[in-house]
Amino acid sequence: MRALVVAAAGSQPEVRDVPRPAAPGGGVAVRVVATGMCRSDWHAWAGHDEVSFPHVPGHELAGELVEVGEGVTKWKVGDRVTVPFVCGCGHCEWCLGGNAQVCPDQEQPGFTHWGSFAEYVALHAADRNLVAIPEQVDFATAASLGCRFATAYRALVGRARVTEGEWLTVIGAGGVGLSAVMIARALGARVIAVDRNREALAVAAELGADHTLLADGTDIPSAVGDLTGGGSHVAIDAVGSEQTCADAILSLRRRGRLVQVGLLPPIGGHPRVPMSRVIGWELDVLGSHGMAATDYPGMIALIEAGSLQPQRLIERTIGLGEAAELLPRFDQATVAGMTMIDPTR
Ligand SMILES: [Zn+2]
Ligand SMILES: [Zn+2]
């Protein structure tokens, strides 16, 4: 099969012929029809994660089952499927409780094993991790859910429990942030989007943000306070820096909820967080990490009904060759939307 192979951390990726993966025990092999490129793929390419090289990245995917491993009971060849980027082991206490997104023995295609920038990919613990794609939903739309969209959905619906009429501040109008804007609007919340980039804010406004704030040194919390009469009910930090985390917390009204999605990597030292405000105003601080397959049906129902349209974030579709050229520069990619790969191209 053809695959985008990274020989060593930071080296120029190449499209090569490599052996097709077989279905592991309890898992499946999938013919990849659509797969999204995200910044995490760039981190894997750069060697920031514990990936072993040579490596094939890719973790946002949808396709058709071509082989079913021993012990799989719920799936058959020909099924249209997608997966969350975190695949649980399928048998620990968290997986059995429907929270595979925090499984201590999780597999992540494109990180713990070869991913979906290829014609075929292997997936583990299929009975727990696969999600069926309804006929009305196309493969590219399904692939666009796997990482950023599902992460935003889980953050707002599963964690912060955003309700109609509440104010939401979204810090960072990238993939997660723009997904959050769309989901919040579908839930009937009012949205303020914050970003350093004017174009990203223009996209946020197009997708339904009520207000946008340019982070150009402006006092974001006081601007949010003015717009909302005392702060937003919920804030999501989709960037993950000391500044954005603090802005998100200080933008909340009393008893508000923060969802932290941006990773705040400890590489820059542990971030200072305004905990005195958290205590004094009884704020809830919630972490959110991906989404389990068990939570997909609610999200997919909204997509089938047309009230959520993740495909609006797909900006372009490219082939594997173009993807190989693009990956090393993806940290500087300026497009606000998603880049989809068609591995047959
Ligand atoms: Zn598990
Ligand atoms: Zn991703």
Side-chain angles (χ1 to χ4, degrees), residues 89-90 92 95 103:
C89 70
C92 72
C95 283
C103 172

Side-chain angles (χ1 to χ4, degrees), residues 36-41 59-60 85 111 146-148 151:
M37 185 182 283
C38 108
R39 222 181 144 97
S40 311
D41 298 310
H59 58 281
E60 308 176 355
F85 74 91
F111 300 97
C147 170
R148 291 159 284 181
T151 294

